[in-house]
Amino acid sequence: QHCRLHEIGRDVLATVRGHGRNPYDAEDDEAFLPPRIAPILAMELAGVGELEGLLEMAGFASIISTICSYPFDLGKTRLDKMAMGTMFVRDQLLDESNQSSCLNENHRFTEEAFWMHIGKYATIESNNVMMLQDNRFKLAIATK
């Protein structure tokens, strides 16, 4: 239904493509240009009745579904947190690195962008684990 990792990825990718500049704080003409990244992707089968319809077509007769909220544990180490938080845009970030003349600089932009934006979406628990709340998924139980 909704996964906050898509939002984090969008923000990080926009900042990396702006070479470290936060696109939301821009004070130049570039801020008025169309966005340079795609909108947040809808999750597969997230539409109303899509999952249930697929299960019916597969021959399931009894289908019960509900929407659940689920937190994600992004890990304890800085590297784990960044890797988990950017997993949906990893290929695009690697493409940006391959096009860059300086891979280290692009990695620095990625790390800075991640830490710039992650506070809007995640919290650090007392045991240093980063938790991402407000992820919603559909749980379906089906029998034949």
Side-chain angles (χ1 to χ4, degrees):
Q1 294 287 318
H2 177 78
C3 181
R4 301 295 301 246
L5 290 173
H6 289 289
E7 297 171 31
I8 295 167
R10 177 201 59 206
D11 289 353
V12 169
L13 191 57
T15 303
V16 168
R17 287 183 174 165
H19 303 289
R21 181 182 53 82
N22 184 343
Y24 303 108
D25 293 339
E27 296 180 10
D28 55 20
D29 291 342
E30 210 173 46
F32 300 103
L33 295 174
R36 291 176 283 181
I37 61 170
I40 297 171
L41 299 172
M43 294 185 72
E44 294 293 324
L45 302 174
V48 175
E50 287 182 12
L51 179 61
E52 293 84 351
L54 180 69
L55 291 170
E56 284 177 13
M57 288 188 332
F60 289 94
S62 174
I63 303 166
I64 300 168
S65 64
T66 185
I67 305 294
C68 303
S69 180
Y70 188 80
F72 285 150
D73 175 343
L74 299 182
K76 287 185 178 183
T77 69
R78 286 182 66 84
L79 186 59
D80 287 346
K81 292 170 187 174
M82 193 174 90
M84 292 292 293
T86 59
M87 75 168 113
F88 287 152
V89 293
R90 186 166 297 134
D91 290 342
Q92 293 156 301
L93 290 168
L94 288 172
D95 287 345
E96 292 292 321
S97 291
N98 291 336
Q99 294 172 12
S100 173
S101 59
C102 181
L103 295 178
N104 288 338
E105 183 175 290
N106 207 32
H107 177 76
R108 182 179 57 83
F109 287 151
T110 300
E111 188 168 359
E112 287 175 2
F114 175 77
W115 292 107
M116 179 188 305
H117 296 292
I118 192 64
K120 295 183 279 188
Y121 305 105
T123 58
I124 305 282
E125 303 292 318
S126 60
N127 57 357
N128 201 33
V129 171
M130 183 176 279
M131 296 299 291
L132 185 64
Q133 305 294 334
D134 300 325
N135 301 287
R136 291 184 307 278
F137 296 91
K138 184 178 284 188
L139 171 67
I141 299 171
T143 57
K144 282 199 171 195

